[in-house]
Amino acid sequence: MFYVFFSLLILQRITELAIAKRNEKWMIDRGGIEHGREHYRFIVALHTLFLLSLLFEVMMFEREISVLWYLLIPILIITQMIRYWALMSLGPYWNTKIIIVPNDIVVSKGPYQYLKHPNYIIVAVEILIIPLLFQAYVTALIFTLLNIVMMTVRIPTEEKALQKYTNYHEAFNSKSRFVPRR
């Protein structure tokens, strides 16, 4: 079961990277500016090493699915539903990088009407739940802590960029949908 799950996880990540690359081109063509370039490679490394650590720990220690699978799988399914809700809500603005199109819309629909950064919460839950599902406790602990550290850099960088180039503060506080400022 683990290898099927792991293969699907890899396929999901590759698909998301392809979508992000397409969206990156679209945003750059519209004048998008990338922020956080200096820490992006660490995010890529964190996610790559997370997958390798998960695979290694499960294989090396012959981990089986957790007896709590009946609780963990529904949590994982809900996180995936919210993940795709966030992705679809952002549409072409969704990306793995921080790219801001100056004076463009601030998406405040979908989960973004309730939270500023729902995708980061989803990723944090995944980094904890996926290893726990297969009893990879070392991976769950180490990468949850590393992700927390990474988010202390990532989220402020994104907040600063959004506030500098958009009406982000107004959009989030009023919870209304904005049209592009011209």
Side-chain angles (χ1 to χ4, degrees):
M1 171 153 173
F2 171 75
Y3 297 105
V4 171
F5 178 86
F6 190 78
S7 297
L8 290 172
L9 186 60
I10 297 294
L11 181 62
Q12 178 190 46
R13 297 307 191 255
I14 290 170
T15 302
E16 288 175 356
L17 287 174
I19 292 167
K21 197 66 172 165
R22 181 193 68 210
N23 292 349
E24 176 182 358
K25 181 181 180 340
W26 181 82
M27 287 190 287
I28 297 297
D29 288 348
R30 297 187 69 215
I33 302 166
E34 183 178 349
H35 299 268
R37 191 175 293 160
E38 59 281 346
H39 73 257
Y40 183 72
R41 66 177 182 244
F42 295 109
I43 289 176
V44 171
L46 184 138
H47 286 272
T48 302
L49 291 172
F50 166 73
L51 292 169
L52 292 172
S53 178
L54 176 66
L55 180 64
F56 176 80
E57 187 172 354
V58 170
M59 287 176 53
M60 185 69 163
F61 299 105
E62 299 177 359
R63 303 287 195 208
E64 298 290 329
I65 195 161
S66 171
V67 296
L68 298 176
W69 67 266
Y70 61 91
L71 294 173
L72 299 173
I73 288 178
I75 293 170
L76 199 53
I77 290 169
I78 291 167
T79 62
Q80 294 314 294
M81 292 168 56
I82 298 170
R83 168 192 285 282
Y84 290 108
W85 184 29
L87 196 144
M88 289 186 302
S89 296
L90 286 177
Y93 293 98
W94 180 83
N95 209 295
T96 58
K97 296 179 178 178
I98 301 170
I99 301 175
I100 308 296
V101 179
N103 300 315
D104 212 340
I105 66 169
V106 174
V107 176
S108 58
K109 62 182 181 179
Y112 295 91
Q113 63 188 314
Y114 306 109
L115 299 166
K116 288 184 178 183
H117 303 284
N119 200 54
Y120 296 146
I121 295 168
I122 296 306
V123 169
V125 171
E126 287 176 337
I127 286 175
L128 178 63
I129 296 297
I130 292 171
L132 291 180
L133 181 60
F134 295 99
Q135 300 184 63
Y137 304 117
V138 173
T139 298
L141 176 64
I142 290 172
F143 285 91
T144 294
L145 294 174
L146 288 173
N147 189 57
I148 289 168
V149 170
M150 190 72 253
M151 289 304 103
T152 65
V153 173
R154 176 72 169 195
I155 292 172
T157 301
E158 189 166 331
E159 289 279 319
K160 184 177 176 184
L162 283 165
Q163 288 173 10
K164 182 175 181 179
Y165 291 106
T166 70
N167 59 352
Y168 178 65
H169 184 70
E170 295 169 32
F172 192 77
N173 287 336
S174 70
K175 304 265 191 231
S176 62
R177 295 189 176 106
F178 284 83
V179 294
R181 291 186 291 168
R182 305 257 181 235

